[in-house]
Amino acid sequence: MFDAGLIGDIYEAAAVPERWLAVLQSLAERMGAQGSNLIRIGPQGMAITSTDGVRAMTEAFMEQGFNAHNTRVGRLMERGAHPGFLTDSDLHTSQELATLPIYAQFLTPHRADAGAATLVQGAGDDGLILAVEGFSSHAASRTAARQLDSLRPHLARALALSAQLRMQRLSAAVGALELVSVAAAVIDPVGRIEAMNALFTQAMDHLLTQRAGALRALHPACDSQLRAAIMGLQAGSGNPGGASLPLRDAAGLARHALHLVPLRGAGHDAFDSAGAVIILASAGNPSVPGADLIRALFDLTPAEARVARAVAQGLSPTDIAQRHAASPATVRTQLKHVFAKTGVTRQSELAVLLASLRSPADADGAC
């Protein structure tokens, strides 16, 4: 029942992941369902791509916490060796379909209790679940599952190819940064490293580590800041421009700036769910942080960085103007820009902020 055009679309989506949403929505409608979910699941957690027909419902399902007790995914994973599609009624008894909270309180009221899903191998340790959602009845889902089984070999090959191409793109991205001497890595939304270049790997020895698969800083206070930034990334509550923080080495010296740059757009897409690029910038760091490090941390212009460092040394705007042969008005304007970029409102606050970057680490363990 599936024509060559649909099969061709599936393989096109393998090479052009942006096509998957349209292809899977079309497939669901052809089968009499509302839409499809494509789920990447692995050690780092779960990433979901939803087609238009089920996107709002899937978001509500996640927001209301039903995914925490999602027996559909768990039981499908348990039967991962099954070479075909399985339905909700294959994975649950009729009593469970009537009483389990995810069905009684959400799926059934949303007419989404009858679906058909299959599990295929992704890249590395990841698995990919294709779930066709919202059939009119459990009988209709079982009929559709038998039909979808004939299409599954094409879907499995195309999905696996997409997953492999995704990993190659991530590796290529950090590799390109290495060509310009930038230490970089890509992490997913929960902090798991998905790709990193050799320069980043070298820095891992004395600045960073992995715990339970997630990126962590060796210095405790720096680690707290890094975890907070990653948690903000995961919750979508962080600074949309990312975050920058100093990294201390084992001797307590802040010689590097870590920049976390969120990847926007399809942030939770099954094939583009990388959460952020991590870039490490190194610079000299005397007792008052150097202008290069200050500039790297707060995205300052060279002139703004010089003003900020001078304030940390205790100089007034007039003193700074004299040192750099500039007018006091120009220095005050630059200082306002520094305040805006660093989030402080007074020179004393700026001095305290920059003092936190001094080495060795303060007694209270500030990063």
Side-chain angles (χ1 to χ4, degrees):
M1 65 171 291
F2 300 111
D3 56 42
L6 174 61
I7 295 173
D9 288 343
I10 289 171
Y11 285 109
E12 180 182 352
V16 187
E18 294 81 4
R19 289 281 300 146
W20 274 117
L21 292 178
V23 171
L24 295 180
Q25 181 63 36
S26 175
L27 175 62
E29 293 173 355
R30 182 179 299 206
M31 302 305 301
Q34 295 181 36
S36 298
N37 278 321
L38 185 57
I39 306 168
R40 182 166 62 91
I41 189 166
Q44 77 279 15
M46 181 183 297
I48 303 177
T49 301
S50 300
T51 67
D52 289 343
V54 294
R55 182 174 294 112
M57 179 185 65
T58 301
E59 290 175 353
F61 183 85
M62 300 293 287
E63 290 171 0
Q64 295 177 33
F66 286 102
N67 198 51
H69 305 285
N70 191 346
T71 52
R72 305 169 99 196
V73 170
R75 294 187 184 186
L76 182 65
M77 296 290 288
E78 290 173 0
R79 297 181 61 176
H82 181 77
F85 280 79
L86 292 169
T87 69
D88 287 81
S89 57
D90 291 324
L91 299 171
H92 300 81
T93 66
S94 57
Q95 182 179 2
E96 288 174 326
L97 292 172
T99 60
L100 284 176
I102 65 166
Y103 289 101
Q105 298 175 23
F106 189 91
L107 294 174
T108 300
H110 285 81
R111 294 182 298 174
D113 56 320
T118 190
L119 172 68
V120 300
Q121 178 64 44
D125 295 331
D126 290 344
L128 295 171
I129 295 175
L130 171 58
V132 183
E133 308 278 14
F135 290 96
S136 60
S137 67
H138 291 292
S141 70
R142 289 191 292 270
T143 298
R146 291 192 292 271
Q147 296 169 345
L148 288 166
D149 282 345
S150 65
L151 194 64
R152 186 182 182 278
H154 301 293
L155 289 166
R157 284 192 288 267
L159 289 169
L161 177 58
S162 280
Q164 293 295 335
L165 290 175
R166 172 183 178 275
M167 292 305 300
Q168 290 180 12
R169 286 196 297 272
L170 295 179
S171 297
V174 296
L177 289 171
E178 184 172 358
L179 293 177
V180 291
S181 301
V182 174
V186 177
I187 62 170
D188 67 16
V190 296
R192 176 176 178 251
I193 295 178
E194 299 205 281
M196 59 182 168
N197 60 29
L199 294 175
F200 195 94
T201 302
Q202 293 170 11
M204 290 281 290
D205 293 338
H206 58 281
L207 293 170
L208 299 161
T209 186
Q210 294 186 76
R211 298 176 195 163
L215 183 67
R216 306 292 294 268
L218 291 177
H219 189 280
C222 297
D223 186 55
S224 296
Q225 290 188 15
L226 177 58
R227 294 305 303 159
I230 292 175
M231 289 177 65
L233 176 74
Q234 185 178 8
S237 59
N239 185 339
S244 296
L245 55 107
L247 280 182
R248 295 190 183 278
D249 61 18
L253 303 177
R255 296 192 181 276
H256 290 74
L258 180 149
H259 302 290
L260 185 149
V261 184
L263 297 176
R264 300 299 174 185
H268 296 286
D269 188 275
F271 293 122
D272 294 303
S273 64
V277 174
I278 298 286
I279 294 174
L280 296 181
S282 61
N285 183 42
S287 60
V288 175
D292 287 345
L293 182 60
I294 296 171
R295 182 184 177 192
L297 283 172
F298 302 108
D299 194 26
L300 305 181
T301 67
E304 291 166 355
R306 286 194 295 270
V307 168
R309 187 170 191 267
V311 168
Q313 292 173 324
L315 299 184
S316 69
T318 301
D319 296 332
I320 298 170
Q322 292 175 350
R323 172 184 284 188
H324 297 291
S327 70
T330 297
V331 172
R332 281 192 288 270
T333 297
Q334 292 168 340
L335 191 55
K336 288 180 181 179
H337 294 163
V338 172
F339 286 170
K341 293 181 179 181
T342 58
V344 302
T345 58
R346 298 185 183 90
Q347 293 180 49
S348 59
E349 293 176 353
L350 178 62
V352 170
L353 173 64
L354 298 183
S356 71
L357 306 183
R358 292 177 183 171
S359 56
D362 296 332
D364 62 1
C367 181

